[in-house]
Amino acid sequence: MNPTAYCESLFEYKRIPTISVPVGELAIGSKMPIRIQSMTTTDTNDTEASVAQCIRIIEAGGEIVRLTTQGREEAENMRKISESLRAQGYLAPLVADVHYSPAAAEIAAKYVEKVRINPGNYTGGAKRFENDVDTMTDDEWMQFLVNKLKPLVLVCKLHETTIRIGVNHGSLSDRIMAKYGDTPQGMVASCMEYIKAFQQLAFDDLVLSIKSSNTRVMVETVRLLVATMRAEKRVYPIHLGVTEAGSDTEGRVKSAAGIGALLIDGIGDTIRVSLTEDPECEIPVAQRLVDYITAKKGHAKIEHYPTTTYSPYEYKKRKTKEILGVGGDRRPVIIADASGRKSPERNGAEFVYTNDNYTDGGLTIADLSSFDPKRPNCCPMLSNKNFFGYKQTAFVRLSLDELTDEVISELQSRDNLIIAVRPRNVNIVAELRAFVFAMESYDIHLPIVPWIRYDAKQADVFQLEAAADTGLLFIDGLVDGLMLSDYNITQTEVTRTSFEILQATQVRFSKCEFISCPGCGRTQYNLQETAQKIKMRFGHLVGLKIGIMGCVINGIGEMADADYGYVGAGHGRISLYRGKELVKKAIPETDAIEALVDIIKSDGKWVEN
Ligand code: SF4
């Protein structure tokens, strides 16, 4: 697949053209604003609570609201919820979220503006068709799908209801799993066969999503889907989200890194930031992310460089030399910028950049003006102007527009420089990508560390902007470290955010990773409170992934690659998993956290905090 086939430009912010699809009074598609949405966590049969939560989401700025629709009863109750909201003047489109139950989808489609179905389970649960699947030809399977979807399409045509084909990593059908495994290719194939079935039924009001809790999988898969649709010359609007992103900083950084990486390349017509928090808390985060990215429209032109190695559909780390422990096969490093701080702090960063006489035993980078060659563990940061005269190992700060013939020739002759790239364009991703491609063009393999200065004033804004600007660089393996600055935010917070970005993009693990679902009407326990307790108890287990899921129905599949799972299994009951193996079934919630500790201890993976 052509590496640039998924977007309009790698160097200019431009939304990819899609068809426009009506969703009630709104439309979704590239000519429309990027729509913000969320999902309720109430019992959909509880009309009063569901309506109240929908209103909170809408009043926070949510433009579309999704509700769990497990079965016929919930589907029928969507009528009451819709009527109550409309009677109170709230016109935001409602979406029924359906798994396993075509009957529920067909009922809900009469009352709501959009129905989400999951190809992994719409045909009634993949397991039931296992034998049929083995013997069906592709044509027979397509006919089977068309027949299965026809009743829903008839209702949707009659009621002008849109359909979202929502594929999730970890919940693919057996047929797709047998052919492709749980891969980006499998997720795209699953989506494409549903698109073709709907096209055969002359139904075109489709929105697509492919989600994963793994940002790298999610970004690569959505790109592949878009490239596939562009090749077929019909691109449907895309709904973006990172599933089970978690809460607090972790959830925000993970969502911004994954969603931001796609938005910046012009992909995404509606987004949901899934947080294990009250759903209305998701709206300002999503809106800020959209505003931050769309504000880059019309940015200054960025010089193009060709590439033969860029690999947007499959992770490949850019090959670099290792210098001072940066680059090569080393994990990405973190550089704390303490140059404007009264008391520099390392906070686990490999390097501290400072003008002061700071020594704490670790490596310090000093501006050349204050560089003292007698100081141990100190390396200079050189500017574009002074790096020619200094032939020892050093950092050099450069921008794309400083790559003159003379600079390039010097870089080509050196194998002891680490380049700290200072972007000047507001489209930071595109400029840094162009810089990396420039190095490739000139056969320069020096490590690259983006050095980005923010003026965000609030920690949560800084986290969102920094993750949106740098997530793609790590997801695509383009850079070797991270140097962030914002003098309005404490240095501890800036460095913590840097670690969060590396963890969110799967390139460096500094704590336990929690794959925590946002909760919905299926949730079986107090998810938010429990997630906080689990984070406290297991947060120090570096490198482990723990899934915290509200229900067994979707939770098992959707925690995908977690090492352990804590999953709701009935009121006040929890099931514990090792990978996808059920280890403790429906034990009392009060015992579950310590039971999980015991399982991890018995696996020899527990360490005391
Ligand atoms: S795992 Fe279950 S409870 Fe959690 S969001 Fe998914 S369906 Fe809802």
Side-chain angles (χ1 to χ4, degrees), residues 20 37 39 45 63 208 211 226 235 425 452:
S20 186
Q37 57 176 291
M39 183 169 177
N45 286 323
E63 296 174 278
L208 314 177
K211 295 191 182 182
V226 173
V235 183
N425 197 292
I452 310 169

Side-chain angles (χ1 to χ4, degrees), residues 461-600:
V461 177
F462 162 73
Q463 287 157 0
L464 210 70
E465 294 182 357
D469 285 329
T470 60
L472 180 145
L473 305 171
F474 293 102
I475 286 169
D476 286 346
L478 299 179
V479 295
D480 302 284
L482 188 56
M483 182 170 177
L484 298 176
S485 314
D486 189 329
Y487 296 134
N488 305 306
I489 315 294
T490 66
Q491 200 186 332
T492 306
E493 193 57 54
V494 172
T495 307
R496 186 167 80 93
T497 300
S498 303
F499 278 108
E500 289 281 5
I501 292 170
L502 300 191
Q503 175 122 2
T505 52
Q506 311 281 311
V507 291
R508 177 170 175 173
F509 296 95
S510 50
K511 60 179 187 174
C512 183
E513 182 169 353
F514 297 101
I515 299 168
S516 161
C517 86
C520 70
R522 295 179 195 266
T523 308
Q524 310 271 351
Y525 58 93
N526 186 332
L527 190 63
Q528 292 180 27
E529 202 180 292
T530 308
Q532 291 302 335
K533 284 185 194 162
I534 292 177
K535 279 183 172 184
M536 296 290 286
R537 191 75 174 102
F538 301 92
H540 63 290
L541 300 177
V542 178
L544 280 192
K545 286 188 187 179
I546 297 181
I548 310 167
M549 313 302 288
C551 75
V552 280
I553 317 291
N554 298 320
I556 316 302
E558 293 187 11
M559 63 187 181
D561 49 358
D563 300 300
Y564 297 96
Y566 182 105
V567 183
H571 190 65
R573 297 273 155 179
I574 301 296
S575 287
L576 299 177
Y577 289 77
R578 179 188 290 112
K580 290 200 165 55
E581 174 203 353
L582 176 61
V583 185
K584 296 260 181 195
K585 190 175 175 186
I587 60 173
E589 190 184 347
T590 43
D591 303 338
I593 290 182
E594 288 314 305
L596 183 56
V597 171
D598 290 341
I599 294 170
I600 296 174

Side-chain angles (χ1 to χ4, degrees), residues 15-31:
R15 283 179 70 188
I16 57 158
T18 71
I19 66 163
S20 186
V21 169
V23 184
E25 298 295 306
L26 294 181
I28 300 180
S30 60
K31 293 213 168 71

